[in-house]
Amino acid sequence: MTLAKAVAWSASSGLLGLASRWGDMIGLPADAAAHKRWAFADPGHRRAAADEVIQWEQAVAQAAAAGPLDPDWPVVVVTAGPSPMYFKPRAIQADPASRARLGYVENVRKADHASLLGERFADTIVKAIEFVRKAAN
């Protein structure tokens, strides 16, 4: 939360404008990358992003209070980066899919938090979306 607030302040002060060329770590096509770099340094966008981070704990509490997912719902979990067996958070991420009757988990070892959503790994994301679409029919 502190980092999110600091980034929002940096954008408001104009400091992030100097670093906007690094604003697209996803690997987007040219038009989308230009928009991402703009959003990276835009004070309003950064403040909204910081507000979202600040609400995470409340969102988690609300989700937990809602109870378990219906096991008949299709659930897909796609993660990025190395996935050693001892890495507990990865197991926590995959848990909802493992509890679903129609669950699907894929870890993209060569991706990271940002690049997972770019063109390089688009096939994996499309495959996950198709899994849910087919399972819902």
Side-chain angles (χ1 to χ4, degrees):
M1 286 186 229
T2 301
L3 179 60
K5 289 177 185 177
V7 170
W9 176 86
S10 296
S12 295
S13 68
L15 292 175
L16 282 185
L18 301 172
S20 66
R21 70 180 188 180
W22 294 289
D24 172 31
M25 302 303 286
I26 297 171
L28 296 169
D31 288 350
H35 182 79
K36 179 74 170 87
R37 285 191 300 275
W38 165 83
F40 176 81
D42 179 69
H45 177 81
R46 298 314 308 185
R47 281 191 301 276
D51 289 345
E52 180 181 338
V53 170
I54 291 165
Q55 297 301 316
W56 281 353
E57 288 181 12
Q58 183 180 357
V60 168
Q62 289 172 347
L69 293 174
D70 183 334
D72 289 329
W73 290 356
V75 178
V76 171
V77 175
V78 180
T79 57
S83 182
M85 295 300 290
Y86 58 85
F87 190 50
K88 185 98 172 138
R90 188 77 75 221
I92 292 169
Q93 291 170 325
D95 185 63
S98 68
R99 293 175 183 269
R101 188 173 53 81
L102 295 169
Y104 171 77
V105 177
E106 185 163 349
N107 181 68
V108 184
R109 292 184 58 83
K110 293 183 178 181
D112 62 27
H113 173 77
S115 68
L116 183 60
L117 297 177
E119 290 181 305
R120 182 174 174 203
F121 302 107
D123 289 349
T124 301
I125 302 303
V126 170
K127 182 179 172 183
I129 293 168
E130 285 295 315
F131 177 88
V132 172
R133 190 181 70 73
K134 287 176 184 172
N137 289 332

mmCIF file of all heavy atoms in Angstrom, residues 59-106:
data_model
loop_
_atom_site.group_PDB
_atom_site.id
_atom_site.type_symbol
_atom_site.label_atom_id
_atom_site.label_comp_id
_atom_site.label_asym_id
_atom_site.label_seq_id
_atom_site.Cartn_x
_atom_site.Cartn_y
_atom_site.Cartn_z
ATOM 1 N N ALA A 59 -11.415 -6.246 0.102
ATOM 2 C CA ALA A 59 -11.948 -7.121 -0.946
ATOM 3 C C ALA A 59 -11.730 -8.592 -0.584
ATOM 4 O O ALA A 59 -12.615 -9.428 -0.800
ATOM 5 C CB ALA A 59 -11.299 -6.796 -2.292
ATOM 6 N N VAL A 60 -10.569 -8.909 -0.045
ATOM 7 C CA VAL A 60 -10.280 -10.291 0.365
ATOM 8 C C VAL A 60 -11.231 -10.711 1.484
ATOM 9 O O VAL A 60 -11.770 -11.825 1.464
ATOM 10 C CB VAL A 60 -8.810 -10.436 0.804
ATOM 11 C CG1 VAL A 60 -8.565 -11.771 1.494
ATOM 12 C CG2 VAL A 60 -7.890 -10.287 -0.400
ATOM 13 N N ALA A 61 -11.457 -9.836 2.447
ATOM 14 C CA ALA A 61 -12.374 -10.145 3.544
ATOM 15 C C ALA A 61 -13.790 -10.385 3.024
ATOM 16 O O ALA A 61 -14.479 -11.309 3.472
ATOM 17 C CB ALA A 61 -12.359 -9.015 4.579
ATOM 18 N N GLN A 62 -14.227 -9.571 2.080
ATOM 19 C CA GLN A 62 -15.562 -9.747 1.503
ATOM 20 C C GLN A 62 -15.657 -11.071 0.744
ATOM 21 O O GLN A 62 -16.673 -11.778 0.841
ATOM 22 C CB GLN A 62 -15.902 -8.588 0.573
ATOM 23 C CG GLN A 62 -16.154 -7.293 1.297
ATOM 24 C CD GLN A 62 -16.309 -6.115 0.341
ATOM 25 O OE1 GLN A 62 -16.004 -6.204 -0.846
ATOM 26 N NE2 GLN A 62 -16.778 -5.000 0.874
ATOM 27 N N ALA A 63 -14.613 -11.410 0.000
ATOM 28 C CA ALA A 63 -14.613 -12.674 -0.745
ATOM 29 C C ALA A 63 -14.650 -13.861 0.217
ATOM 30 O O ALA A 63 -15.388 -14.827 -0.008
ATOM 31 C CB ALA A 63 -13.391 -12.756 -1.655
ATOM 32 N N ALA A 64 -13.876 -13.793 1.286
ATOM 33 C CA ALA A 64 -13.871 -14.879 2.269
ATOM 34 C C ALA A 64 -15.229 -15.013 2.948
ATOM 35 O O ALA A 64 -15.713 -16.122 3.185
ATOM 36 C CB ALA A 64 -12.774 -14.641 3.310
ATOM 37 N N ALA A 65 -15.858 -13.894 3.241
ATOM 38 C CA ALA A 65 -17.165 -13.913 3.895
ATOM 39 C C ALA A 65 -18.250 -14.476 2.985
ATOM 40 O O ALA A 65 -19.268 -14.985 3.472
ATOM 41 C CB ALA A 65 -17.544 -12.503 4.351
ATOM 42 N N ALA A 66 -18.044 -14.416 1.680
ATOM 43 C CA ALA A 66 -19.034 -14.932 0.735
ATOM 44 C C ALA A 66 -19.107 -16.453 0.754
ATOM 45 O O ALA A 66 -20.067 -17.031 0.265
ATOM 46 C CB ALA A 66 -18.719 -14.440 -0.680
ATOM 47 N N GLY A 67 -18.112 -17.099 1.316
ATOM 48 C CA GLY A 67 -18.113 -18.554 1.400
ATOM 49 C C GLY A 67 -17.425 -19.196 0.219
ATOM 50 O O GLY A 67 -16.911 -18.510 -0.673
ATOM 51 N N PRO A 68 -17.428 -20.517 0.183
ATOM 52 C CA PRO A 68 -16.716 -21.222 -0.891
ATOM 53 C C PRO A 68 -17.390 -21.046 -2.243
ATOM 54 O O PRO A 68 -18.584 -20.789 -2.330
ATOM 55 C CB PRO A 68 -16.758 -22.683 -0.445
ATOM 56 C CG PRO A 68 -17.935 -22.772 0.467
ATOM 57 C CD PRO A 68 -18.071 -21.421 1.132
ATOM 58 N N LEU A 69 -16.573 -21.204 -3.290
ATOM 59 C CA LEU A 69 -17.107 -21.163 -4.651
ATOM 60 C C LEU A 69 -17.978 -22.394 -4.898
ATOM 61 O O LEU A 69 -17.733 -23.470 -4.344
ATOM 62 C CB LEU A 69 -15.961 -21.170 -5.668
ATOM 63 C CG LEU A 69 -15.069 -19.946 -5.718
ATOM 64 C CD1 LEU A 69 -13.911 -20.180 -6.671
ATOM 65 C CD2 LEU A 69 -15.859 -18.723 -6.148
ATOM 66 N N ASP A 70 -18.942 -22.242 -5.738
ATOM 67 C CA ASP A 70 -19.758 -23.364 -6.168
ATOM 68 C C ASP A 70 -18.857 -24.299 -6.974
ATOM 69 O O ASP A 70 -18.259 -23.882 -7.975
ATOM 70 C CB ASP A 70 -20.906 -22.840 -7.044
ATOM 71 C CG ASP A 70 -21.866 -23.919 -7.498
ATOM 72 O OD1 ASP A 70 -21.456 -25.101 -7.587
ATOM 73 O OD2 ASP A 70 -23.020 -23.571 -7.781
ATOM 74 N N PRO A 71 -18.709 -25.562 -6.579
ATOM 75 C CA PRO A 71 -17.792 -26.465 -7.289
ATOM 76 C C PRO A 71 -18.212 -26.760 -8.722
ATOM 77 O O PRO A 71 -17.415 -27.281 -9.502
ATOM 78 C CB PRO A 71 -17.802 -27.742 -6.437
ATOM 79 C CG PRO A 71 -19.033 -27.656 -5.617
ATOM 80 C CD PRO A 71 -19.356 -26.200 -5.444
ATOM 81 N N ASP A 72 -19.433 -26.381 -9.092
ATOM 82 C CA ASP A 72 -19.874 -26.581 -10.475
ATOM 83 C C ASP A 72 -19.460 -25.435 -11.390
ATOM 84 O O ASP A 72 -19.643 -25.525 -12.600
ATOM 85 C CB ASP A 72 -21.391 -26.776 -10.534
ATOM 86 C CG ASP A 72 -21.800 -28.129 -9.969
ATOM 87 O OD1 ASP A 72 -21.010 -29.086 -10.092
ATOM 88 O OD2 ASP A 72 -22.898 -28.218 -9.394
ATOM 89 N N TRP A 73 -18.933 -24.353 -10.834
ATOM 90 C CA TRP A 73 -18.429 -23.248 -11.658
ATOM 91 C C TRP A 73 -17.073 -23.629 -12.239
ATOM 92 O O TRP A 73 -16.207 -24.139 -11.519
ATOM 93 C CB TRP A 73 -18.247 -21.997 -10.839
ATOM 94 C CG TRP A 73 -19.505 -21.334 -10.371
ATOM 95 C CD1 TRP A 73 -20.794 -21.683 -10.650
ATOM 96 C CD2 TRP A 73 -19.570 -20.195 -9.511
ATOM 97 N NE1 TRP A 73 -21.659 -20.832 -10.019
ATOM 98 C CE2 TRP A 73 -20.932 -19.911 -9.319
ATOM 99 C CE3 TRP A 73 -18.628 -19.398 -8.897
ATOM 100 C CZ2 TRP A 73 -21.367 -18.851 -8.535
ATOM 101 C CZ3 TRP A 73 -19.058 -18.343 -8.114
ATOM 102 C CH2 TRP A 73 -20.418 -18.080 -7.938
ATOM 103 N N PRO A 74 -16.851 -23.380 -13.511
ATOM 104 C CA PRO A 74 -15.507 -23.613 -14.057
ATOM 105 C C PRO A 74 -14.548 -22.545 -13.520
ATOM 106 O O PRO A 74 -14.898 -21.373 -13.435
ATOM 107 C CB PRO A 74 -15.707 -23.475 -15.565
ATOM 108 C CG PRO A 74 -16.940 -22.652 -15.722
ATOM 109 C CD PRO A 74 -17.800 -22.905 -14.518
ATOM 110 N N VAL A 75 -13.363 -22.987 -13.127
ATOM 111 C CA VAL A 75 -12.364 -22.063 -12.568
ATOM 112 C C VAL A 75 -11.033 -22.311 -13.255
ATOM 113 O O VAL A 75 -10.552 -23.445 -13.333
ATOM 114 C CB VAL A 75 -12.192 -22.243 -11.047
ATOM 115 C CG1 VAL A 75 -11.111 -21.308 -10.505
ATOM 116 C CG2 VAL A 75 -13.509 -22.012 -10.315
ATOM 117 N N VAL A 76 -10.422 -21.232 -13.741
ATOM 118 C CA VAL A 76 -9.107 -21.309 -14.363
ATOM 119 C C VAL A 76 -8.145 -20.433 -13.572
ATOM 120 O O VAL A 76 -8.488 -19.325 -13.184
ATOM 121 C CB VAL A 76 -9.155 -20.828 -15.835
ATOM 122 C CG1 VAL A 76 -7.757 -20.690 -16.410
ATOM 123 C CG2 VAL A 76 -9.980 -21.776 -16.668
ATOM 124 N N VAL A 77 -6.956 -20.952 -13.347
ATOM 125 C CA VAL A 77 -5.886 -20.189 -12.705
ATOM 126 C C VAL A 77 -4.668 -20.266 -13.619
ATOM 127 O O VAL A 77 -4.183 -21.355 -13.924
ATOM 128 C CB VAL A 77 -5.539 -20.764 -11.309
ATOM 129 C CG1 VAL A 77 -4.347 -20.035 -10.710
ATOM 130 C CG2 VAL A 77 -6.746 -20.696 -10.384
ATOM 131 N N VAL A 78 -4.190 -19.109 -14.057
ATOM 132 C CA VAL A 78 -2.973 -19.037 -14.864
ATOM 133 C C VAL A 78 -1.974 -18.198 -14.076
ATOM 134 O O VAL A 78 -2.255 -17.054 -13.721
ATOM 135 C CB VAL A 78 -3.225 -18.414 -16.252
ATOM 136 C CG1 VAL A 78 -1.934 -18.353 -17.058
ATOM 137 C CG2 VAL A 78 -4.284 -19.208 -17.010
ATOM 138 N N THR A 79 -0.817 -18.782 -13.787
ATOM 139 C CA THR A 79 0.226 -18.083 -13.041
ATOM 140 C C THR A 79 1.471 -17.939 -13.900
ATOM 141 O O THR A 79 1.597 -18.574 -14.945
ATOM 142 C CB THR A 79 0.566 -18.838 -11.738
ATOM 143 O OG1 THR A 79 0.972 -20.176 -12.063
ATOM 144 C CG2 THR A 79 -0.630 -18.882 -10.793
ATOM 145 N N ALA A 80 2.380 -17.113 -13.428
ATOM 146 C CA ALA A 80 3.602 -16.842 -14.182
ATOM 147 C C ALA A 80 4.832 -17.063 -13.307
ATOM 148 O O ALA A 80 4.780 -16.862 -12.099
ATOM 149 C CB ALA A 80 3.592 -15.400 -14.693
ATOM 150 N N GLY A 81 5.901 -17.460 -13.951
ATOM 151 C CA GLY A 81 7.179 -17.582 -13.268
ATOM 152 C C GLY A 81 7.463 -18.989 -12.787
ATOM 153 O O GLY A 81 6.640 -19.894 -12.925
ATOM 154 N N PRO A 82 8.645 -19.177 -12.219
ATOM 155 C CA PRO A 82 9.027 -20.496 -11.706
ATOM 156 C C PRO A 82 8.019 -20.985 -10.673
ATOM 157 O O PRO A 82 7.449 -20.203 -9.928
ATOM 158 C CB PRO A 82 10.388 -20.255 -11.062
ATOM 159 C CG PRO A 82 10.892 -19.014 -11.693
ATOM 160 C CD PRO A 82 9.681 -18.186 -12.027
ATOM 161 N N SER A 83 7.807 -22.274 -10.640
ATOM 162 C CA SER A 83 6.824 -22.857 -9.731
ATOM 163 C C SER A 83 7.418 -24.038 -8.971
ATOM 164 O O SER A 83 7.016 -25.173 -9.177
ATOM 165 C CB SER A 83 5.595 -23.296 -10.512
ATOM 166 O OG SER A 83 4.619 -23.815 -9.663
ATOM 167 N N PRO A 84 8.382 -23.796 -8.095
ATOM 168 C CA PRO A 84 8.935 -24.911 -7.323
ATOM 169 C C PRO A 84 7.880 -25.496 -6.387
ATOM 170 O O PRO A 84 6.963 -24.806 -5.963
ATOM 171 C CB PRO A 84 10.088 -24.281 -6.537
ATOM 172 C CG PRO A 84 9.816 -22.824 -6.539
ATOM 173 C CD PRO A 84 8.982 -22.524 -7.753
ATOM 174 N N MET A 85 7.996 -26.746 -6.088
ATOM 175 C CA MET A 85 7.016 -27.447 -5.252
ATOM 176 C C MET A 85 6.852 -26.804 -3.880
ATOM 177 O O MET A 85 5.796 -26.866 -3.288
ATOM 178 C CB MET A 85 7.432 -28.912 -5.089
ATOM 179 C CG MET A 85 7.415 -29.699 -6.385
ATOM 180 S SD MET A 85 5.781 -29.745 -7.162
ATOM 181 C CE MET A 85 4.916 -30.772 -6.022
ATOM 182 N N TYR A 86 7.893 -26.188 -3.360
ATOM 183 C CA TYR A 86 7.838 -25.628 -2.013
ATOM 184 C C TYR A 86 7.266 -24.209 -1.971
ATOM 185 O O TYR A 86 7.148 -23.623 -0.917
ATOM 186 C CB TYR A 86 9.233 -25.617 -1.388
ATOM 187 C CG TYR A 86 10.242 -24.829 -2.183
ATOM 188 C CD1 TYR A 86 10.362 -23.450 -2.015
ATOM 189 C CD2 TYR A 86 11.072 -25.459 -3.103
ATOM 190 C CE1 TYR A 86 11.278 -22.715 -2.760
ATOM 191 C CE2 TYR A 86 11.987 -24.732 -3.836
ATOM 192 C CZ TYR A 86 12.085 -23.371 -3.654
ATOM 193 O OH TYR A 86 12.999 -22.653 -4.394
ATOM 194 N N PHE A 87 6.866 -23.682 -3.111
ATOM 195 C CA PHE A 87 6.387 -22.298 -3.165
ATOM 196 C C PHE A 87 4.909 -22.260 -2.784
ATOM 197 O O PHE A 87 4.032 -22.428 -3.607
ATOM 198 C CB PHE A 87 6.634 -21.704 -4.550
ATOM 199 C CG PHE A 87 6.389 -20.222 -4.637
ATOM 200 C CD1 PHE A 87 6.952 -19.345 -3.717
ATOM 201 C CD2 PHE A 87 5.588 -19.704 -5.633
ATOM 202 C CE1 PHE A 87 6.730 -17.983 -3.793
ATOM 203 C CE2 PHE A 87 5.356 -18.332 -5.726
ATOM 204 C CZ PHE A 87 5.937 -17.477 -4.788
ATOM 205 N N LYS A 88 4.634 -22.054 -1.517
ATOM 206 C CA LYS A 88 3.276 -22.117 -0.963
ATOM 207 C C LYS A 88 2.284 -21.168 -1.643
ATOM 208 O O LYS A 88 1.154 -21.572 -1.905
ATOM 209 C CB LYS A 88 3.339 -21.841 0.539
ATOM 210 C CG LYS A 88 2.034 -21.993 1.235
ATOM 211 C CD LYS A 88 1.920 -23.325 1.881
ATOM 212 C CE LYS A 88 0.670 -23.362 2.742
ATOM 213 N NZ LYS A 88 -0.024 -24.583 2.621
ATOM 214 N N PRO A 89 2.627 -19.900 -1.922
ATOM 215 C CA PRO A 89 1.628 -19.030 -2.558
ATOM 216 C C PRO A 89 1.087 -19.579 -3.872
ATOM 217 O O PRO A 89 -0.075 -19.380 -4.192
ATOM 218 C CB PRO A 89 2.384 -17.713 -2.764
ATOM 219 C CG PRO A 89 3.403 -17.716 -1.687
ATOM 220 C CD PRO A 89 3.818 -19.163 -1.560
ATOM 221 N N ARG A 90 1.897 -20.269 -4.647
ATOM 222 C CA ARG A 90 1.428 -20.836 -5.916
ATOM 223 C C ARG A 90 0.314 -21.856 -5.648
ATOM 224 O O ARG A 90 -0.682 -21.898 -6.352
ATOM 225 C CB ARG A 90 2.587 -21.490 -6.665
ATOM 226 C CG ARG A 90 2.234 -21.927 -8.041
ATOM 227 C CD ARG A 90 2.167 -20.798 -9.045
ATOM 228 N NE ARG A 90 3.510 -20.400 -9.377
ATOM 229 C CZ ARG A 90 3.906 -19.143 -9.526
ATOM 230 N NH1 ARG A 90 3.054 -18.174 -9.417
ATOM 231 N NH2 ARG A 90 5.136 -18.838 -9.802
ATOM 232 N N ALA A 91 0.474 -22.673 -4.607
ATOM 233 C CA ALA A 91 -0.561 -23.643 -4.254
ATOM 234 C C ALA A 91 -1.836 -22.933 -3.805
ATOM 235 O O ALA A 91 -2.943 -23.364 -4.140
ATOM 236 C CB ALA A 91 -0.056 -24.567 -3.150
ATOM 237 N N ILE A 92 -1.690 -21.832 -3.093
ATOM 238 C CA ILE A 92 -2.852 -21.056 -2.658
ATOM 239 C C ILE A 92 -3.576 -20.496 -3.876
ATOM 240 O O ILE A 92 -4.809 -20.514 -3.942
ATOM 241 C CB ILE A 92 -2.426 -19.928 -1.695
ATOM 242 C CG1 ILE A 92 -1.936 -20.545 -0.385
ATOM 243 C CG2 ILE A 92 -3.559 -18.945 -1.456
ATOM 244 C CD1 ILE A 92 -1.241 -19.551 0.525
ATOM 245 N N GLN A 93 -2.827 -20.026 -4.864
ATOM 246 C CA GLN A 93 -3.443 -19.490 -6.078
ATOM 247 C C GLN A 93 -4.219 -20.568 -6.824
ATOM 248 O O GLN A 93 -5.293 -20.321 -7.362
ATOM 249 C CB GLN A 93 -2.378 -18.887 -6.997
ATOM 250 C CG GLN A 93 -1.757 -17.629 -6.452
ATOM 251 C CD GLN A 93 -0.549 -17.205 -7.273
ATOM 252 O OE1 GLN A 93 0.202 -18.038 -7.780
ATOM 253 N NE2 GLN A 93 -0.358 -15.901 -7.398
ATOM 254 N N ALA A 94 -3.679 -21.766 -6.891
ATOM 255 C CA ALA A 94 -4.296 -22.850 -7.653
ATOM 256 C C ALA A 94 -5.469 -23.499 -6.921
ATOM 257 O O ALA A 94 -6.281 -24.183 -7.546
ATOM 258 C CB ALA A 94 -3.246 -23.911 -7.985
ATOM 259 N N ASP A 95 -5.591 -23.273 -5.631
ATOM 260 C CA ASP A 95 -6.603 -23.939 -4.821
ATOM 261 C C ASP A 95 -8.032 -23.823 -5.363
ATOM 262 O O ASP A 95 -8.741 -24.832 -5.409
ATOM 263 C CB ASP A 95 -6.529 -23.436 -3.377
ATOM 264 C CG ASP A 95 -7.469 -24.193 -2.470
ATOM 265 O OD1 ASP A 95 -7.280 -25.422 -2.318
ATOM 266 O OD2 ASP A 95 -8.405 -23.568 -1.929
ATOM 267 N N PRO A 96 -8.506 -22.645 -5.780
ATOM 268 C CA PRO A 96 -9.892 -22.588 -6.278
ATOM 269 C C PRO A 96 -10.138 -23.517 -7.469
ATOM 270 O O PRO A 96 -11.188 -24.157 -7.548
ATOM 271 C CB PRO A 96 -10.065 -21.117 -6.685
ATOM 272 C CG PRO A 96 -9.074 -20.379 -5.858
ATOM 273 C CD PRO A 96 -7.898 -21.318 -5.728
ATOM 274 N N ALA A 97 -9.178 -23.619 -8.367
ATOM 275 C CA ALA A 97 -9.346 -24.510 -9.523
ATOM 276 C C ALA A 97 -9.299 -25.966 -9.098
ATOM 277 O O ALA A 97 -10.017 -26.804 -9.656
ATOM 278 C CB ALA A 97 -8.280 -24.218 -10.570
ATOM 279 N N SER A 98 -8.498 -26.292 -8.090
ATOM 280 C CA SER A 98 -8.415 -27.686 -7.645
ATOM 281 C C SER A 98 -9.698 -28.121 -6.941
ATOM 282 O O SER A 98 -10.003 -29.304 -6.890
ATOM 283 C CB SER A 98 -7.205 -27.879 -6.723
ATOM 284 O OG SER A 98 -7.394 -27.205 -5.496
ATOM 285 N N ARG A 99 -10.463 -27.174 -6.432
ATOM 286 C CA ARG A 99 -11.730 -27.498 -5.759
ATOM 287 C C ARG A 99 -12.921 -27.536 -6.721
ATOM 288 O O ARG A 99 -14.001 -27.983 -6.348
ATOM 289 C CB ARG A 99 -12.000 -26.483 -4.653
ATOM 290 C CG ARG A 99 -11.010 -26.565 -3.515
ATOM 291 C CD ARG A 99 -11.272 -25.444 -2.509
ATOM 292 N NE ARG A 99 -10.306 -25.464 -1.454
ATOM 293 C CZ ARG A 99 -10.448 -26.131 -0.304
ATOM 294 N NH1 ARG A 99 -11.547 -26.816 -0.100
ATOM 295 N NH2 ARG A 99 -9.508 -26.093 0.607
ATOM 296 N N ALA A 100 -12.712 -27.061 -7.933
ATOM 297 C CA ALA A 100 -13.800 -27.027 -8.913
ATOM 298 C C ALA A 100 -13.904 -28.360 -9.649
ATOM 299 O O ALA A 100 -12.896 -29.006 -9.932
ATOM 300 C CB ALA A 100 -13.561 -25.904 -9.918
ATOM 301 N N ARG A 101 -15.127 -28.736 -9.962
ATOM 302 C CA ARG A 101 -15.342 -29.953 -10.758
ATOM 303 C C ARG A 101 -14.666 -29.806 -12.116
ATOM 304 O O ARG A 101 -14.083 -30.750 -12.642
ATOM 305 C CB ARG A 101 -16.841 -30.187 -10.926
ATOM 306 C CG ARG A 101 -17.194 -31.511 -11.566
ATOM 307 C CD ARG A 101 -18.687 -31.774 -11.548
ATOM 308 N NE ARG A 101 -19.473 -30.696 -12.122
ATOM 309 C CZ ARG A 101 -19.673 -30.513 -13.430
ATOM 310 N NH1 ARG A 101 -19.124 -31.317 -14.309
ATOM 311 N NH2 ARG A 101 -20.411 -29.512 -13.869
ATOM 312 N N LEU A 102 -14.734 -28.584 -12.672
ATOM 313 C CA LEU A 102 -14.078 -28.281 -13.939
ATOM 314 C C LEU A 102 -13.029 -27.205 -13.674
ATOM 315 O O LEU A 102 -13.262 -26.019 -13.852
ATOM 316 C CB LEU A 102 -15.098 -27.796 -14.976
ATOM 317 C CG LEU A 102 -16.132 -28.833 -15.401
ATOM 318 C CD1 LEU A 102 -17.234 -28.186 -16.217
ATOM 319 C CD2 LEU A 102 -15.457 -29.942 -16.180
ATOM 320 N N GLY A 103 -11.886 -27.639 -13.203
ATOM 321 C CA GLY A 103 -10.802 -26.716 -12.897
ATOM 322 C C GLY A 103 -9.618 -26.923 -13.812
ATOM 323 O O GLY A 103 -9.369 -28.035 -14.289
ATOM 324 N N TYR A 104 -8.912 -25.844 -14.063
ATOM 325 C CA TYR A 104 -7.765 -25.881 -14.971
ATOM 326 C C TYR A 104 -6.692 -24.953 -14.406
ATOM 327 O O TYR A 104 -6.988 -23.802 -14.068
ATOM 328 C CB TYR A 104 -8.219 -25.425 -16.355
ATOM 329 C CG TYR A 104 -7.115 -25.202 -17.359
ATOM 330 C CD1 TYR A 104 -6.499 -26.281 -17.983
ATOM 331 C CD2 TYR A 104 -6.695 -23.922 -17.680
ATOM 332 C CE1 TYR A 104 -5.489 -26.082 -18.913
ATOM 333 C CE2 TYR A 104 -5.689 -23.715 -18.609
ATOM 334 C CZ TYR A 104 -5.091 -24.798 -19.222
ATOM 335 O OH TYR A 104 -4.100 -24.596 -20.137
ATOM 336 N N VAL A 105 -5.472 -25.449 -14.281
ATOM 337 C CA VAL A 105 -4.356 -24.659 -13.771
ATOM 338 C C VAL A 105 -3.209 -24.752 -14.756
ATOM 339 O O VAL A 105 -2.876 -25.842 -15.231
ATOM 340 C CB VAL A 105 -3.873 -25.178 -12.393
ATOM 341 C CG1 VAL A 105 -2.662 -24.392 -11.904
ATOM 342 C CG2 VAL A 105 -4.994 -25.128 -11.370
ATOM 343 N N GLU A 106 -2.628 -23.611 -15.072
ATOM 344 C CA GLU A 106 -1.432 -23.604 -15.914
ATOM 345 C C GLU A 106 -0.474 -22.544 -15.393
ATOM 346 O O GLU A 106 -0.880 -21.431 -15.083
ATOM 347 C CB GLU A 106 -1.767 -23.323 -17.374
ATOM 348 C CG GLU A 106 -0.525 -23.433 -18.249
ATOM 349 C CD GLU A 106 -0.825 -23.571 -19.728
ATOM 350 O OE1 GLU A 106 -1.987 -23.800 -20.096
ATOM 351 O OE2 GLU A 106 0.130 -23.451 -20.518
#
